[in-house]
Amino acid sequence: MSIEELARANVRALTPYQSARRLGGNGDVWLNANEFPTAVPFGLTQQTLNRYPECQPKAVIDNYAAYAGVKPEQVLVSRGADEGIELLIRAFCEPGQDAVLYCPPTYGMYTVSAETFGVELRKVPVRDDWQLDLQGIADNLDGVKVVFVCSPNNPTGQLINPQDLRALLEMTQGKALVVADEAYIEFCPQASLAGWLTDYPHLVVLRTLSKAFALAGLRCGFTLANKEVIDLLMKVIAPYPLSTPVADIAAQALSPQGITAMRERVAQILDERQYLVSQLRNIACVEQVFDSETNYILARFTASSAVFKSLWDQGIILRDQNKQPSLSGCLRITVGTREESQRVIDALNAEKV
Ligand SMILES: *Cc1c(COP(=O)(O)O)cnc(C)c1O
């Protein structure tokens, strides 16, 4: 048997997540991964690398609980929110039997994780206004154990209507978990569902330090849920998910000063987003700029593939969303520094229509 044949059939069939880093490119303007555009300084205080770290470092958990307004027992920390997605599928979905449901166009890791574990994918596309098709979800809930909803949604940038999220939580009560992916919630904090955990034992909220906290390279994310859910996830998590330096830096980022600095960064990005949106709306090859609650902007272009390629060749790396359902002609642009916005604007203005 060849090595290829030794592998699990679903792994052989798998298309890995096309992460911004894997897609490559030789850019000097990186606006394809929704990262914060500049590095924040940090120092290490822990010098005890001879010892294994705590599985759930207390300082990190306590600081995050205080920040999110939940109890420490309602917080799990992991290697990015992506590991949270994986743990939920591993703990709740029986391979070859259960399904996860999500509503494209949305974040790609729900598919990749489900496929890796041999769990069925149930896709219920959003309506024309990018809101949930609640009837479609209701009709497809059989065998579904986890429903993923990203709000604000990546890549469309808009919030899911809270009354629809309530309807979804009512409909799934006693049947399935509802996972609200809040990777971008710092850009619209009033919309968080964390306060709903007391009402819904099957609600899960995903968070990350990769976006507004400017720590994508740290790989640190959070799952908020009631203790029953957290206890189950604790059964399947690795014994030492976070290294000591990661926990050290995460605890600092979540200190009162760290939170204040994060809020200043968010204000800076929101200003820059306003500037970029207003400029994009005056550019000939830009057909439509969609409202965003996040640190990225989705826009529809005439000849988007040519525009994407042309900017790529000039070292400006955007994210092509053209292949996603209902997003033909769309590119996603991360809000970066003013210099980066200007490079994008100048390059787009130079495109012939
Ligand atoms: C970036 C992102 C994540 C992943 O966050 P990590 O903590 O870096 O793993 C999860 N969900 C969405 C919607 C994202 O855009």
Side-chain angles (χ1 to χ4, degrees):
M1 225 187 274
S2 71
I3 298 293
E4 176 74 15
E5 286 163 343
L6 281 174
R8 288 164 56 206
N10 62 319
V11 172
R12 275 182 272 155
L14 198 65
T15 314
Y17 180 67
Q18 294 299 308
S19 72
R21 286 292 165 275
R22 270 193 190 180
L23 286 168
N26 274 322
D28 57 341
V29 179
W30 290 97
L31 300 178
N32 65 345
N34 301 340
E35 297 146 323
F36 188 75
T38 53
V40 294
F42 62 87
L44 293 180
T45 64
Q46 300 289 323
Q47 304 292 335
T48 52
L49 297 186
N50 58 314
R51 300 291 177 196
Y52 282 111
E54 290 173 87
C55 177
Q56 295 288 295
K58 188 172 174 349
V60 176
I61 295 290
D62 288 353
N63 286 2
Y64 203 86
Y67 161 65
V70 301
K71 295 185 211 130
E73 67 182 33
Q74 295 175 309
V75 180
L76 182 97
V77 62
S78 60
R79 281 172 294 216
D82 284 348
E83 188 182 25
I85 295 169
E86 237 184 72
L87 295 173
L88 286 159
I89 295 175
R90 266 166 57 202
F92 288 90
C93 299
E94 201 72 68
Q97 185 178 321
D98 298 333
V100 303
L101 187 151
Y102 68 95
C103 305
T106 191
Y107 187 53
M109 276 306 291
Y110 315 135
T111 313
V112 173
S113 288
E115 280 179 346
T116 306
F117 295 118
V119 167
E120 187 203 331
L121 291 165
R122 204 71 63 73
K123 299 180 203 177
V124 179
V126 292
R127 305 181 321 204
D128 289 344
D129 61 356
W130 290 340
Q131 291 296 331
L132 300 179
D133 172 5
L134 287 170
Q135 189 56 52
I137 295 173
D139 294 342
N140 280 283
L141 269 184
D142 251 13
V144 169
K145 289 288 192 66
V146 183
V147 178
F148 287 100
V149 180
C150 189
S151 182
N153 186 42
N154 180 1
T156 50
Q158 97 293 359
L159 287 164
I160 303 303
N161 293 332
Q163 64 273 25
D164 291 353
L165 291 166
R166 273 220 191 266
L168 177 63
L169 282 158
E170 298 295 336
M171 170 199 309
T172 49
Q173 193 105 248
K175 291 190 189 133
L177 295 183
V178 172
V179 180
D181 187 337
E182 295 189 348
Y184 300 94
I185 204 67
E186 280 78 17
F187 300 100
C188 48
Q190 73 296 340
S192 177
L193 302 194
W196 295 14
L197 286 174
T198 33
D199 299 336
Y200 298 106
H202 60 308
L203 172 62
V204 178
V205 176
L206 292 175
R207 299 285 193 83
T208 180
L209 298 189
S210 296
K211 310 288 163 50
F213 282 92
L215 291 170
L218 192 65
R219 308 307 303 127
C220 186
F222 296 87
T223 303
L224 312 180
N226 285 296
K227 187 170 179 301
E228 244 187 303
V229 174
I230 299 289
D231 287 348
L232 285 158
L233 299 179
M234 281 297 291
K235 289 188 170 186
V236 297
I237 199 168
Y240 312 109
L242 303 194
S243 70
T244 301
V246 168
D248 187 1
I249 295 164
Q252 296 174 44
L254 293 165
S255 69
Q257 305 90 293
I259 305 281
T260 303
M262 177 276 288
R263 294 203 169 111
E264 286 164 3
R265 283 193 299 273
V266 166
Q268 172 198 331
I269 292 293
L270 296 187
D271 278 351
E272 191 55 33
R273 184 180 75 200
Q274 196 180 1
Y275 174 75
L276 187 53
V277 167
S278 66
Q279 296 295 307
L280 288 172
R281 293 208 157 117
N282 295 323
I283 295 176
C285 66
V286 180
E287 283 177 6
Q288 196 174 0
V289 182
F290 298 100
D291 288 334
S292 169
E293 300 287 340
T294 65
N295 67 335
Y296 51 87
I297 298 164
L298 189 76
R300 183 165 273 134
F301 292 78
T302 48
S304 72
S305 297
V307 169
F308 177 80
K309 171 78 167 55
S310 164
L311 267 66
W312 174 285
D313 291 339
Q314 297 171 64
I316 303 168
I317 313 297
L318 310 182
R319 186 86 176 189
D320 192 354
Q321 299 290 347
N322 188 47
K323 295 271 150 36
Q324 288 237 49
S326 84
L327 300 189
S328 67
C330 290
L331 305 179
R332 194 191 67 193
I333 310 172
T334 304
V335 179
T337 62
R338 174 57 53 92
E339 292 69 37
E340 289 171 329
S341 298
Q342 211 54 57
R343 284 275 301 275
V344 171
I345 293 158
D346 293 346
L348 290 175
N349 272 321
E351 288 296 309
K352 290 188 211 59
V353 186

